[in-house]
Amino acid sequence: MNRLNHLDTLKIRPDESVTIEYLGKPFQGAAGDTIATLLYGGGVRIFGRSLKYHRPRGLYSLNGECSNTLMAVDGEPNVRGETTEARNGMVVEPQNVKGDPARDLMGFMDKLSPVLPAGFYYKMFHKPASLWPKAIKGIRKAAGLGKISPHFTMKGSFDEIYLNADVCVIGGGPAGMAAALAASQAGLRVILLESRPWLGGFFDYRPGLYDRGRSLADRVETDPNIRVFTRTSVIGSYTDNLITAFCRGDGSDAFDERYLEIRAKSVVTSTGCIERPLLFAHNERPGVMQISCAHRLIRTWGILPGTSAVFSIGDDLGLEAALDLADLGMEIQCVADVREDGQNEALADRLAEKGIPLFRGWVAAASDGDPKVKRVSLTAINGVRSREFECDLIVAGAGQTPVTGPLTLAGAKQRFDRRTGFFLPVDLPRKMHAAGRMLGYIDPDAIEASGDLAGVKAAADCNGADDSKIREAEERLGDLQGPARGTKFIIGPVKTGKTFICFDEDTTVKNVDQAIAGGFDVPELIKRFTAAGTGPGQGGIPGHNLPLYVGLTGQSPDLDPRPTTVRPPLTPTLIAAYAGSNHDMSKRTPMHEEQVKAGGRMERVGVWHRARRFGDDAAAAAEIENVRNNVGILDASTLGKFRIFGPDVLKALDRVYVGSMSRVKSDRMLYSAMCNEDGCIIDDGVLVKRGENDYYFTTSTGRAGSSAEWIRYHTRYENWDFHIVNLTDAFGVINLAGPNARKTLEKVADADLSNDAFPFMGYREFSIKEIPVRAMRLGFVGELSFELHVASSWMPALWKIIEEAGAEFGIRHFGLEAQNVLRMEKGHLIIGSESEQRTTLHDVGLGFLWHKEKREADTVGAAALRHTENQEGRLKLVGIEAQDPQQTPRDGSIIVDEKIRGYVATARYSRTLEKSVGMALVESELADIGTQLEIFEGEKDDERLAATVVPMPFYDPEGRRLRM
Amino acid sequence: MLKKPSATAKPLWKKAPFKSSYDAVIIGGGLHGLATAYFLARDHGMTNIAVIEKRYIGFGGAGRNTAIVRANQRTQENVPLYKEALELWPVLTRELDFNLMFYNCGNLNLAHSDAALKAMRTNVATARFHGVQSRVVDPKECKELVPALDISERPRYPIFGGMYHPPGGIVRHDAVVWGLAKGATAKGIHIHQGTEVTGIGVSNGKVVSVETDKGKIATNRVLNAAGGYSAALSWNLLGMKLPISVLTIQAMVTQPLKPLLHHVVSSGAYHCYANQTLKGEIATGSHMDPWPNYTTQTTARYIKHQAEALIEMMPCLSGIKFMRTWGGLADMTPDMAPIMDGNHPHEGYYLDCGWGYFGFKSSTVTGKYMAQYMATGQCPEILAPFALRRFQEHRLMGETAALVNYTPDN
Amino acid sequence: MALTITCPICGARNGYEFRYGGEEKGPKPDEAALRSPEAWCDYIHFNRCKAGAQEEWWFHRDGCGAWFTIHRDTVTNREIPGKEAGI
Ligand SMILES: Cc1cc2nc3c(=O)[nH]c(=O)nc-3n(C[C@H](O)[C@H](O)[C@H](O)COP(=O)(O)OP(=O)(O)OC[C@H]3O[C@@H](n4cnc5c(N)ncnc54)[C@H](O)[C@@H]3O)c2cc1C
Ligand SMILES: [Zn+2]
């Protein structure tokens, strides 16, 4: 490894070597290298091939502005080589190429470019029509960069943290550090986010400023009020100061990537600048690189970017870089500066001392060489003269571009500023501040002062305004050098070849011209039409040049150029990182484990896990038979359970239930339903009275979460005094059903359970082996049954007692499928299964539950129930019987003649009845008993099943069994 | 062999002078507005028509959607409309001489419960009853169709099966906007971009004019096709309220990849759908942010939700990166079906809205029938079920079987 | 966007703790007034869909369980503090 190890600005640890595999060969670098610097240090110059033209691409930037160094790492595609730290043993492969990108077989695509103008897809491949399906195959194959296997599994650990702070500072350069220190001095808790592994930003690679940056960083890192996150990229910024970011582990961290969500009272954005790429022919040929890329390569990584360089620059940073690189031993043939004057003369003098010619008012016109740079031609910007130089490196940049994403995402506008040539953030959201180089400051003192001012303002957001402090900070900044003048330069006199405005999408200025000629006159549309800025680097390369160029060539040059919209994430972010620890919120009943042990097949039902059946039989035949003949036990703990009480409770109940709730007697349950304002049934359940103005009611599982909210909603204008307590999780429920249910329970209960003492629809409270239970005699499954509500903590004990008591009667579990069949045989509906969104109480035949005469209650849905009471042409719930018992229509089949007339809600072959029966919603004209129906299952197009409308219930129509 | 297109591109659509009178004015240069304009000219010879667009064509949902097309809806009122829409893509590609890039990859919708399978069977039967291909598939076949799926018991919502619908796919949304604009202006229709409708003049129960920030237009027919803004427009300009809630909905794309997904995949339980565009990006979208908004800002909540859902469904996606999120507006009705109506309560006032997050796929065919409606004054039979009156008549459409959860009433 | 909502009981909280409850339309007219399908539909289903400041209902679902109204600008998705809303 041939590095300049003596530099004190290095961020690598040269004596700690790191080896990765690239194209099957080992490459060695140093701890601290990125994949790209390691490979560059190892002599790799061509990193990949471009998307459309398969042009060779090399190291151009270091911050992920473009996709040139996207590579596959350990099977993970599109990893940014230039920002990903190299780790021992990584297996790295180039993308969009077979083998070595230096010798790509698809390179001929580049020659096709004249027939592939902007938006060419829209104008091609559709004539003749039969061409298109074939073309799709080709397009798909050619498209896309990385490759991922459908069987890929992501290694590593991912988590997430949620933080609160007084002040969140984005960007750990000098301005950000100054802001953080100012806020900390005001006694505030500060979070500082920096995407590089170290603090320092603009100062950290510049010889004269490195120490100054280091000492700021030391102060920040030791400040107890400041929590520093390095390796942390901000990806989102939202109103009310919500910042999202992800943090890469440093190799010793417990996570590989960590998602961060930060809510701060105030935010300072000090994200600095990236470079505005220089537009010239073949401006992305390997060997062309950004100024800061060349400068950082040598200063931070100790790598000489080339042997003989030509610079084409647009600001003093370019001059400074040329001098520094020359000092460190690189041959610099000349520096072309687009500015005709206005250079920092001290820098110009030093160049002259070194014998490096400075061409003022000159710029690169084209690079040459295949595949790497061999030559550059420079031209005077008026185009009259030109010169050529042999070189292996072109260091090129047009100027600077502020990184404003965190501000614009949160709603700031951008305005073109003629002095800096920047799109400057304006109309910042409240409690958001900008600072530093992104505002155009270039003087180190001014950068820090600007950060300090932002920090003071952020402190005022938190502590209350302190105008004098703000004024002092403003004055300090005012005394310093203001924002620097930026170059107005957009494009030189380029004559031939491709000038790329966007590397990722291979969009050339010619493509942009074509779009403008096609009538696309705003940058946002040109972006869509040419795809510029829609690749992995997003706006990193074209973000600034595209609107400038459009402004230059568009019809209305007097209008200020308008930038395109920046969208989150600001850095492409692993889906694994966003998912973080990927919590699943779900609930288990107290009997979960017990049921699993008993062979329960658990399924997700809403937030709950419930047993669908026990054992392999999908039809749950044995479970069903056992309930009909012996006794079964079901865990119904997921039922919604509520206490509602208070002086105005009856008013509230009459408002939300369709029935008249004052009719409920203390030892009997009342079955009733709730409708929405459309009169459509949304819930049913029972209500019991447990005391004066004190009731207990059940809802379906699905409504447990929303019932309290819903009841409160429909009483929100009333000043009624009542309270609702959701007891769903507090109580478990056992449903004990079957002819032997009483015998089982009698063995253990301390109460008289005889039919006289505890009749059907009765409610009792008693104890079972000293466990207090609330018992209801219900009959959902159509048999003698007891529903026992018990404090959740007692559930397992009670369950065990009952199971033991029932053993001699053949007690066994039953699950949801058995329950479904049993209740269907009985003609009991499940809301959502036998009803749709548009199904009214009348439609399901429960209209009798509606108590019309309680007008004063203003029952929810009453008006609609009145409107629809006798409405024609509605879908009604009916019982059906299949003509052929062996051909049970599937749930969800449709009922048809020449049109669709209805839907099969639930249908099963009933072993009990030895026929196939079900429930269906059919148009009212077809609802009469005896009507013949044709059912289409959607399997075979000409196959129809025959069924007849029959009365319900199918099983025990007189209801004797539940009254046993 | 590829032919070299002419070096100097011609403008795709013509700019036109602003006139003070048109036979009809269409508010909104989105899909529905442009399609209606195109068909007014194509089928009814009406070319003295203005499309008024506040920003630029395709600014609204037209340029923000994920362009999924299919015809396996739940109800017989909907399926025929969407079936015809599917058949129109190749026809329009030819007619407009503009490749709308219909990528007929088919759609796989996943079921994660028996109830979901049952719902799918209804859709499948309804589709096939109308001659639209669709079938219920088991988990194994789901995996064959989309190898990236995890069909084991591990995920939060294991896969019970699915509904596979071969005739669907995706279309290039921008192409539809630009192609229709090209076709409409070629027939003489005027598109005025950067022009906002600010008023509708009504006299004796009839529409007489439209006011814009560029001047007043005399006309006796106006179509409100303002997408997410249509309800506010109706209220502001005519004092007419609509059963609509406008919510923000988001979509996002990953970095481009070599072919991985060969079908559109969607799952109601995860509130998530994904497909791979011809460019190689995985485009994916989720549910709406559950409160009304006219902002198209995105949220931290949804991109995270999307990541969690995607890797449950297709674990390999954890290794790829989100690149861009954006938001658009969804104008939702209580029954998730649109409102298409006319001459009520004002003669000459037509409505085509409530298309929520599903109005891309139908845009061309709706344009065809709304054009017929506007040209003849008679509601085409196929549009009759979509009348506004259904809400007061308690005849919700049934497109969604389950209760919708964005109104507090449910 | 990242809505913050001020609950009268719990103070300013993350908007996702709440559930939206519709435009404030005033108390529901009584049943007799809702006899006409038009009046019923107007109150139950129709919205103004205002782009700008509107008064609207929210429920503190992951909190105290109160229903209350706030003013919010639907264009910026920001709550308008009581005094700016003129209350
Ligand atoms: C994220 C997202 C994903 C989606 N995915 C799909 C999908 O996969 N499949 C699908 O079928 N659908 C999808 N949709 C829905 C689809 O985009 C919309 O239903 C469709 O765009 C509606 O078309 P439109 O023409 O009615 O409205 P829009 O396309 O929104 O056009 C309305 C136009 O009216 C203009 N306008 C508004 N007010 C005025 C005024 N006062 N004066 C003049 N002009 C005005 C607007 O600027 C806008 O351009 C999605 C939507 C979104 C937001
Ligand atoms: Zn609260």
Side-chain angles (χ1 to χ4, degrees), chain B residues 242 244 289 291-292 294 298, chain C residues 1 16 47-49 72 74 77:
Chain B
L242 292 173
I244 280 179
D289 256 294
W291 61 82
Y294 285 94
T298 57
Chain C
M1 63 187 176
Y16 284 100
N47 291 316
R48 291 188 167 83
C49 297
R72 183 179 61 105
T74 61
N77 190 38

Side-chain angles (χ1 to χ4, degrees), chain B residues 144-384:
Chain B
E144 281 160 19
L145 290 164
V146 181
L149 288 174
D150 183 348
I151 58 164
S152 74
E153 288 292 312
R154 183 207 59 87
R156 184 169 310 172
Y157 305 118
I159 293 170
F160 278 52
M163 164 164 67
Y164 180 51
H165 173 58
I170 51 177
V171 173
R172 176 83 193 135
H173 59 337
D174 285 337
V176 183
V177 173
W178 300 335
L180 286 170
K182 176 180 181 238
T185 54
K187 293 191 187 302
I189 281 166
H190 289 184
I191 297 176
H192 299 299
Q193 302 191 74
T195 307
E196 184 171 356
V197 170
T198 54
I200 296 175
V202 177
S203 169
N204 295 325
K206 291 183 182 165
V207 168
V208 292
S209 64
V210 166
E211 274 134 58
T212 77
D213 57 359
K214 299 272 165 68
K216 190 166 172 169
I217 301 169
T219 188
N220 53 22
R221 293 190 197 107
V222 56
L223 172 68
N224 180 349
Y229 310 90
S230 49
L233 211 60
S234 213
W235 167 248
N236 291 339
L237 307 190
L238 291 170
M240 177 180 170
K241 288 190 275 183
L242 292 173
I244 280 179
S245 302
V246 182
L247 313 180
T248 307
I249 184 164
Q250 300 174 47
M252 53 212 90
V253 291
T254 67
Q255 292 182 330
L257 296 169
K258 293 291 173 199
L260 174 74
L261 299 180
H262 307 296
H263 308 283
V264 179
V265 202
S266 59
S267 157
Y270 288 113
H271 289 308
C272 178
Y273 61 87
N275 62 266
Q276 192 166 16
T277 67
L278 292 179
K279 273 186 78 180
E281 302 153 337
I282 311 267
T284 167
S286 64
H287 212 243
M288 294 158 293
D289 256 294
W291 61 82
N293 256 317
Y294 285 94
T295 171
T296 53
Q297 294 171 50
T298 57
T299 57
R301 172 94 160 196
Y302 272 86
I303 192 163
K304 185 165 197 329
H305 159 273
Q306 201 67 9
E308 293 176 2
L310 282 174
I311 66 175
E312 286 292 299
M313 279 162 71
M314 296 180 274
C316 71
L317 296 185
S318 39
I320 64 173
K321 298 182 186 73
F322 277 137
M323 186 168 79
R324 188 166 66 245
T325 347
W326 64 91
L329 303 182
D331 45 334
M332 303 298 296
T333 63
D335 61 0
M336 305 247 257
I339 300 165
M340 291 181 274
D341 212 332
N343 300 321
H344 159 81
H346 308 292
E347 197 179 320
Y349 180 60
Y350 294 86
L351 267 176
D352 177 17
C353 60
W355 283 102
Y357 52 78
F358 40 80
F360 170 73
K361 55 182 80 65
S362 60
S363 53
T364 53
V365 74
T366 328
K368 178 179 158 189
Y369 288 110
M370 282 310 296
Q372 183 185 334
Y373 202 164
M374 290 178 73
T376 63
Q378 301 299 313
C379 181
E381 206 180 320
I382 197 165
L383 298 189

Side-chain angles (χ1 to χ4, degrees), chain A residues 238-240 242 263 429-430 677-678 709 712-713 716-717 850 855 858-864 866-867, chain C residues 1-4 14 19 21 24-28 30-31 34-35 37 40 43-45 57 59 61 67 78:
Chain A
Y238 305 90
T239 48
D240 302 322
L242 176 69
R263 279 176 188 269
R430 59 185 180 211
E677 289 289 12
D678 287 311
E709 154 186 348
R712 285 273 170 219
Y713 177 79
R716 70 195 185 284
Y717 287 105
W850 174 38
R855 298 253 161 92
D858 250 326
T859 301
V860 182
R866 219 173 288 277
H867 294 164
Chain C
M1 63 187 176
L3 182 62
T4 305
N14 180 347
R19 183 222 223 284
E24 157 59 359
K25 302 177 182 177
K28 190 173 77 172
D30 64 22
E31 222 195 294
L34 295 182
R35 272 300 156 78
W40 173 84
Y43 183 81
I44 300 299
H45 283 310
W57 285 92
F59 175 71
R61 179 173 42 197
W67 276 105
R78 283 203 141 139

Side-chain angles (χ1 to χ4, degrees), chain A residues 50 52-53 55 57 60 110 113 277-285 491 497-511 541-542 545:
Chain A
S50 72
K52 193 161 128 193
Y53 298 140
R55 288 173 63 97
R57 292 284 161 83
Y60 181 82
D110 201 14
S113 58
L278 187 66
L279 299 174
F280 61 99
H282 310 298
N283 54 337
E284 38 60 271
R285 199 186 294 286
I491 187 163
K498 294 192 181 74
T499 300
F500 288 93
I501 208 158
C502 173
F503 299 173
D504 290 7
E505 296 288 334
D506 277 344
T507 311
T508 62
V509 293
K510 195 164 149 203
N511 294 147
I541 297 292
N545 274 333

Side-chain angles (χ1 to χ4, degrees), chain A residues 476-496:
Chain A
R476 277 196 300 277
L477 177 61
D479 291 342
L480 298 163
Q481 190 190 318
R485 190 173 289 283
T487 86
K488 301 275 179 300
F489 180 81
I490 299 172
I491 187 163
V494 181
K495 296 205 178 71
T496 55

Side-chain angles (χ1 to χ4, degrees), chain A residues 35 49 51 64 66-84 92-96 143-148 257 504 535-537 571-574, chain B residues 254-258 276 279-282 319-323:
Chain A
I35 294 172
R49 289 275 167 169
L51 189 64
C66 59
S67 57
N68 286 12
T69 62
L70 288 191
M71 284 175 279
V73 177
D74 298 333
E76 180 191 327
N78 295 340
V79 177
R80 289 172 159 191
E82 61 199 57
T83 54
T84 306
V92 178
E93 297 286 338
Q95 295 189 155
N96 207 29
L145 277 176
K147 202 191 265 176
I148 197 160
E257 289 194 9
D504 290 7
T571 293
T573 304
L574 262 184
Chain B
T254 67
Q255 292 182 330
L257 296 169
K258 293 291 173 199
Q276 192 166 16
K279 273 186 78 180
E281 302 153 337
I282 311 267
I320 64 173
K321 298 182 186 73
F322 277 137
M323 186 168 79

